[in-house]
């Protein structure tokens, strides 16, 4: 957390600091953790949307949420 806070607080990021942050993310499987959290929240949100009638706005929200999960990072 300190490393990330330092990088955010500084106006110019040091390449080593950024590299260190990326290493920490990979070491702790941060990408998969984040994707799983997103899937959980999106699944919950889709459940709330079920009570609404079908509409263009609802379809758009569902499409955006699918895109967020399915996109390649």
């Amino acid at each position: 957390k300190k490393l990330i806070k330092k990088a955010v607080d500084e106006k110019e990021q040091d390449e080593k600091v950024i590299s260190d942050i990326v290493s920490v993310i990979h070491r702790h499987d941060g990408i998969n953790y984040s994707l799983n959290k997103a899937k959980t929240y999106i699944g919950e949100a889709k459940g709330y949307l079920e009570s609404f009638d079908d509409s263009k706005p609802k379809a758009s929200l569902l499409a955006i949420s699918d895109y967020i999960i399915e996109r390649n990072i």
Side-chain angles (χ1 to χ4, degrees):
K1 286 183 179 181
K2 290 178 186 178
L3 186 62
I4 295 171
K5 181 169 177 16
K6 176 184 175 186
V8 170
D9 288 343
E10 292 181 5
K11 297 288 183 204
E12 293 187 27
Q13 277 65 36
D14 180 344
E15 284 186 36
K16 179 167 179 1
V17 172
I18 300 300
S19 177
D20 290 345
I21 291 170
V22 171
S23 292
V24 169
I25 290 168
H26 287 294
R27 186 169 51 246
H28 295 284
D29 203 24
I31 300 296
N32 284 329
Y33 174 82
S34 297
L35 285 173
N36 288 330
K37 279 293 210 185
K39 287 176 184 178
T40 299
Y41 290 131
I42 286 172
E44 186 178 333
K46 284 182 171 183
Y48 290 125
L49 289 174
E50 288 179 5
S51 64
F52 293 97
D53 292 335
D54 289 342
S55 64
K56 285 185 179 183
K58 179 180 173 180
S60 295
L61 289 170
L62 294 171
I64 289 169
S65 63
D66 289 339
Y67 170 76
I68 290 169
I69 296 301
E70 295 170 3
R71 68 184 175 168
N72 291 322
I73 298 176

